[in-house]
């Protein structure tokens, strides 16, 4: 009998050891920074933020990715938090504040962000404009000129593509603006009305579950018209794709935030890194590399000509940008995400 | 289903040989499964709420039905291709059979992701398939993002799981029985239908159950080649976990899928009766 018991015990012990080793904690002088993919976005963060920070402070910053709110939630609930600073979307952060995320006190730096964008747990680090684009080869002399054209398959036939993983990136706002809802009366969002707009183009619509997939399909001729976040539009244009931005239309603006998961043992160092990357110089450097809008109002990134049309912070864009109402999203995110996912899978 | 018993008295000592497998399953399968099931009834408050929500959710039910229908089509198509193929394998010589086995196993050895991306390229707009159809006058056949596109790719993935049990069952059939039927006056089709087909049924049932059950839980292929508008249940579970952060709801939907799978398995086991002993349950792949 003892031999049998010990066989079982050793097997279980080995397994426990193997699974237990999966979470590596690193030392006190190191941080794990989590962001999206391997594109211009994360490369920009590494070059503009993490490498200089490493040089100045001696802290080793390890990059992990992609961000997954589900993984973050599972880590915090299991009490095994391996992430210290996470780049995620603003409304998810506002919703999870207090339960999964720690408050980040920005002190005097709080004034540096566009009004209404800084929340208790989420520090804005990158801004995106929801941009209407079209394949120049397809539409040539007769390009779409308004948001409404995206939802009009009769006048503008062709395959549409949107990102479907998260409706809070301006997807619904665009539909309502296209349907004539005034900018200042967008919130509370009339979600059924927005979905009725998408009903019109349902047969023509491709829904990508990642931005990478969306960008790849656009470059590969799998779509003719797209609603795409500006940082991806920037990458697409930088790669030389023959796509054009529809000028003069309203641009719903959303942003990503940096958060500190509850339960990390290095929350002070994590907050120090966050305060560092929000300085005007770091903010501008990242914006130039990634094409995302800078988070610090004082940042003055120098964009190449191609990217200037995507710069929604530009002086001539003031009457076109429509900032997301992050508080409305935080309060309504659960049911809106379900309604959107039901619409897409229904 | 009944398990195969070795001839003679079952030897109790032999059960210890299962211990390593049991320990692994306990830690990496049953413990997580129990956690998922527990959370599906314990959160957000204790009760059947998540299950009632799934059963009252028209979209979830539509997706479950769509998944069952797609799995059924995939199984039927796979069987239609695999049966004559396996039959041919039993007729040809040893070397040709080796070649045929190699052909059916080749995709099996290729990475699932590589195959998915290969199908992606073939099926996309302006891809090989669309141009081939255009060449014979049928325009606008873009399989990418459709149930048809997913079905084609999944049939290819599933073929070995159908061909191998079929061929296994067919190799055990004594062809002399067909000659006997012929000499007793049965025309060849009758001999096939009355003698060969029933004898090959164990292979059919085991192939069908493996392919059907694996198709129910497939994730990557529909996610990559399909579209959210035609989502299958595994994708919806993925959305609930990743985008909606609804872990208990996803667990409930997973449990519903598990119950359907077990019911299908039990039904096939009943149909198969004792011959079902050779059936194996399929796991999720990809």
């Amino acid at each position: 009998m003892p031999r049998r018991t010990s066989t079982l015990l050793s097997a279980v012990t080995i397994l426990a050891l193997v699974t237990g080793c999966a979470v590596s904690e690193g030392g006190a002088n190191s941080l794990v920074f989590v962001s999206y993919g391997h594109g211009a976005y994360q490369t920009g963060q590494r070059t503009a933020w993490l490498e200089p920070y490493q040089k100045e402070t001696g802290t080793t910053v390890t990059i992990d990715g992609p961000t997954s709110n589900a993984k973050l939630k599972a880590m915090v609930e299991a009490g095994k938090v391996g992430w210290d600073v996470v780049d995620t979307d603003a409304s998810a952060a506002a919703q999870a504040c207090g339960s999964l995320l720690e408050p980040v006190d920005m002190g005097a730096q709080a004034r540096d962000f566009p009004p209404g964008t800084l929340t208790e747990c989420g520090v804005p680090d990158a801004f995106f404009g929801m941009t209407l684009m079209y394949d120049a080869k397809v539409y040539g002399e007769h390009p779409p000129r308004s948001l409404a054209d995206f939802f009009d398959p009769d006048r503008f036939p062709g395959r549409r593509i949107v990102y479907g993983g998260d409706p809070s990136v301006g997807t619904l706002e665009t539909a309502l603006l296209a349907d004539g809802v005034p900018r200042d009366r967008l919130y509370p969002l009339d979600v059924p009305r927005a979905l009725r707009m998408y009903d019109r183009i349902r047969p023509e619509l491709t829904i990508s579950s990642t931005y990478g997939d969306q960008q790849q399909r656009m470059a590969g001729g799998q779509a003719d018209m797209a609603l795409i976040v500006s940082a991806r539009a920037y990458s697409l244009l930088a790669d030389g794709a023959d796509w054009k931005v529809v000028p003069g239309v309203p641009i719903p603006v959303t942003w990503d935030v940096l958060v500190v998961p509850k339960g990390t043992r290095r929350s002070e160092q994590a907050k120090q890194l966050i305060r560092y990357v929000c300085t005007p110089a770091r903010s501008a450097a990242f914006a130039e590399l990634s094409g995302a809008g800078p988070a610090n109002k004082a940042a003055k990134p120098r964009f190449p000509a191609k990217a200037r049309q995507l710069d929604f912070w530009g002086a001539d864009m003031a009457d076109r940008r429509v900032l997301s109402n992050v508080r409305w999203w935080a309060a309504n995110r659960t049911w809106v995400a379900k309604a959107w996912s039901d619409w897409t899978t229904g | 289903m009944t398990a195969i018993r070795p001839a003679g008295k079952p030897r109790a000592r032999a059960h210890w040989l299962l211990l390593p497998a049991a320990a692994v399953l306990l830690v990496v399968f049953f413990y997580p499964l129990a956690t998922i099931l527990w959370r599906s009834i314990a959160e957000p408050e204790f009760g059947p709420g998540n299950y009632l929500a799934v059963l009252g959710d028209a979209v979830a039910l539509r997706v479950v039905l769509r998944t069952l229908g797609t799995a059924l089509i995939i199984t039927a198509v796979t069987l239609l291709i695999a049966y004559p193929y396996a039959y041919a394998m039993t007729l040809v010589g040893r070397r040709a059979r080796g070649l045929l086995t190699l052909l059916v196993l080749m995709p099996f050895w290729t990475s699932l992701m590589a195959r998915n991306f290969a199908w992606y390229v073939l099926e996309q707009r302006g891809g090989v398939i669309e141009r081939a159809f255009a060449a014979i006058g049928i325009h606008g056949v873009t399989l990418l993002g459709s149930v048809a596109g997913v079905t084609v790719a999944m049939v290819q993935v599933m073929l070995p799981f159908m061909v191998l049990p079929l061929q296994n069952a067919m190799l055990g059939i004594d062809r002399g029985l067909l000659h006997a039927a012929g000499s007793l006056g049965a025309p060849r089709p009758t001999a096939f239908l009355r003698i060969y087909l029933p004898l090959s049924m164990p292979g059919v049932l085991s192939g069908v159950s493996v392919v059907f059950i694996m198709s129910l839980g497939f994730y990557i292929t529909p996610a990559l080649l399909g579209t959210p508008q035609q989502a299958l249940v595994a994708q919806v579970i993925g959305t609930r976990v990743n985008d909606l952060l609804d872990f208990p709801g996803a667990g409930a939907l997973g449990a519903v899928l598990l119950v359907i799978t077990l019911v299908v398995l039990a039904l096939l086991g009943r149909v198969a009766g004792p011959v079902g002993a050779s059936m194996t349950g399929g796991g999720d792949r990809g």
Side-chain angles (χ1 to χ4, degrees):
Chain A
M1 287 307 153
R3 215 174 63 202
R4 289 169 185 177
T5 320
S6 66
T7 318
L8 181 66
L9 270 178
S10 54
V12 171
T13 314
I14 290 167
L15 275 165
L17 283 173
V18 169
T19 48
C21 291
V23 183
S24 86
E25 295 281 331
N29 213 17
S30 63
L31 284 171
V32 178
F33 181 93
V34 182
S35 183
Y36 295 91
H38 294 285
Y41 192 74
Q42 201 165 19
T43 312
Q45 289 178 330
R46 192 177 61 223
T47 315
W49 298 348
L50 307 179
E51 282 168 3
Y53 185 75
Q54 212 156 301
K55 225 173 269 167
E56 287 178 33
T57 65
T59 307
T60 315
V61 184
T62 315
I63 299 181
D64 196 3
T67 297
S68 154
N69 291 330
K71 202 167 163 185
L72 176 72
K73 179 176 155 140
M75 277 184 175
V76 175
E77 285 179 352
K80 282 191 187 298
V81 180
W83 290 351
D84 304 310
V85 179
V86 182
D87 181 314
T88 188
D89 46 302
S91 63
Q95 192 186 27
C97 191
S99 59
L100 304 176
L101 307 175
E102 284 198 10
V104 182
D105 180 15
M106 292 302 286
Q109 277 180 285
R111 285 187 300 261
D112 296 349
F113 302 97
T117 62
L118 177 71
T119 56
E120 203 190 344
C121 295
V123 180
D125 68 323
F127 282 76
F128 312 99
M130 189 48 97
T131 310
L132 176 58
M133 296 184 83
Y134 62 93
D135 189 331
K137 291 188 299 296
V138 174
Y139 294 102
E141 297 297 297
H142 180 55
R145 294 184 194 285
S146 71
L147 293 182
D149 294 345
F150 186 79
F151 298 93
D152 187 347
D154 298 326
R155 284 183 54 228
F156 292 90
R159 197 91 213 141
R160 272 82 167 153
I161 191 164
V162 297
Y163 166 69
D166 178 0
S168 77
V169 295
T171 323
L172 301 175
E173 284 86 343
T174 305
L176 293 171
L177 290 165
D179 202 23
V181 177
R183 291 197 313 164
D184 53 349
R185 295 230 298 277
L186 264 183
Y187 298 95
L189 292 183
D190 186 343
V191 175
R193 181 171 173 181
L195 293 180
R196 280 198 299 278
M197 288 296 282
Y198 279 101
D199 279 337
R200 299 186 191 173
I201 51 167
R202 193 177 176 91
E204 286 85 12
L205 189 64
T206 298
I207 299 170
S208 282
S209 42
T210 63
Y211 290 121
D213 177 70
Q214 185 184 17
Q215 192 187 326
Q216 188 195 352
R217 284 183 198 239
M218 288 168 72
Q222 301 299 305
D224 308 313
M225 224 192 284
L227 287 173
I228 184 168
V229 289
S230 48
R232 286 290 181 173
Y234 178 81
S235 297
L236 188 81
L237 294 175
D239 291 346
D242 197 7
W243 281 71
K244 285 201 159 64
V245 176
V246 177
V249 299
I251 303 175
V253 173
T254 56
W255 56 97
D256 264 18
V257 293
L258 296 177
V259 299
V260 179
K262 255 193 177 172
T264 164
R265 287 185 281 138
R266 297 179 290 230
S267 72
E268 279 319 307
Q269 294 99 304
K271 289 169 193 171
Q272 194 194 330
L273 171 65
I274 292 177
R275 286 189 278 266
Y276 172 83
V277 307
C278 290
T279 51
R282 296 300 101 217
S283 198
F286 167 61
E288 283 168 7
L289 287 166
S290 68
N296 191 309
K297 281 186 297 179
K300 293 276 172 278
R302 286 182 301 272
F303 287 119
K306 240 184 203 175
R308 222 162 289 147
Q309 55 184 335
L310 295 167
D311 180 20
F312 45 85
W313 286 145
D316 51 334
M317 301 276 201
D319 55 337
R320 286 175 46 203
R321 57 176 178 251
V322 187
L323 250 65
S324 172
N325 182 335
V326 68
R327 281 166 219 288
W328 184 87
W329 269 107
N332 296 280
R333 194 181 151 86
T334 306
W335 75 265
V336 179
K338 176 81 167 74
W340 169 252
S341 133
D342 280 355
W343 185 86
T344 54
T345 53
Chain B
M1 276 190 304
T2 51
I4 298 177
R5 279 270 163 79
K9 268 169 95 180
R11 286 174 301 163
R13 283 183 65 97
H15 291 167
W16 291 106
L17 295 172
L18 294 175
L19 200 64
V24 170
L25 278 181
L26 194 72
V27 177
V28 304
F29 181 67
F30 286 108
Y31 172 70
L33 183 65
T35 314
I36 289 165
L37 293 179
W38 168 251
R39 291 189 72 168
S40 74
I41 55 168
E43 293 177 21
E45 64 267 339
F46 192 82
N50 290 310
Y51 290 88
L52 295 177
V54 167
L55 296 175
D57 185 339
V59 174
L61 293 180
R62 203 178 313 147
V63 170
V64 168
L65 284 179
R66 186 189 293 151
T67 309
L68 287 169
T70 308
L72 205 62
I73 293 171
I74 289 165
T75 312
V77 175
T78 312
L79 182 62
L80 280 176
I81 297 174
Y83 198 93
Y85 192 92
Y87 187 73
M89 282 170 80
T90 64
L91 295 183
V92 296
R94 184 176 288 270
R95 284 180 63 181
R97 190 188 303 153
L99 184 69
L100 288 175
T101 312
L102 193 72
L103 283 177
V104 85
L105 283 180
M106 200 110 85
F108 203 45
W109 296 328
T110 321
S111 139
L112 189 69
M113 287 316 286
R115 266 182 297 169
N116 280 331
F117 279 111
W119 279 113
Y120 186 105
V121 173
L122 291 174
E123 292 184 356
Q124 70 182 1
R125 196 164 75 162
V128 174
I129 293 175
E130 182 174 317
R131 274 180 292 157
F133 273 105
I136 56 167
I138 306 168
H139 292 276
V141 182
T142 310
L143 289 182
L144 190 65
S146 70
V147 170
V150 173
T151 304
V152 168
M154 279 178 67
V155 163
Q156 191 223 6
V157 175
M158 294 300 173
L159 267 177
F161 295 100
M162 190 69 91
V163 168
L164 295 179
L166 278 174
Q167 187 224 1
N168 202 24
M170 287 172 178
L171 282 174
I173 299 175
D174 182 0
R175 295 196 65 84
L177 293 172
L178 291 176
H179 295 301
S183 67
L184 290 171
R188 290 185 70 159
T190 312
F192 177 80
L193 288 175
R194 301 277 299 271
I195 310 284
Y196 199 89
L197 192 62
L199 284 172
S200 67
M201 279 317 271
V204 172
L205 283 166
S206 93
V208 162
S209 50
V210 170
V211 169
F212 186 78
I213 287 163
M214 284 182 70
S215 305
L216 284 180
F218 239 66
Y219 179 62
I220 284 295
T221 305
L224 202 67
L225 301 176
T227 139
Q229 289 107 308
Q230 300 289 344
L232 303 183
V233 70
Q235 286 163 274
V236 173
I237 293 174
T239 304
R240 289 198 175 195
V241 172
N242 292 320
D243 302 334
L244 306 180
L245 305 186
D246 179 11
F247 295 179
L253 194 51
V256 169
L257 181 62
L258 186 63
V259 169
I260 293 173
T261 308
L262 292 175
V263 167
V264 169
L265 207 58
L267 286 177
L268 282 165
R270 279 190 85 108
V271 175
V275 298
S278 63
M279 290 199 305
T280 50
D284 286 4
R285 203 178 127 89

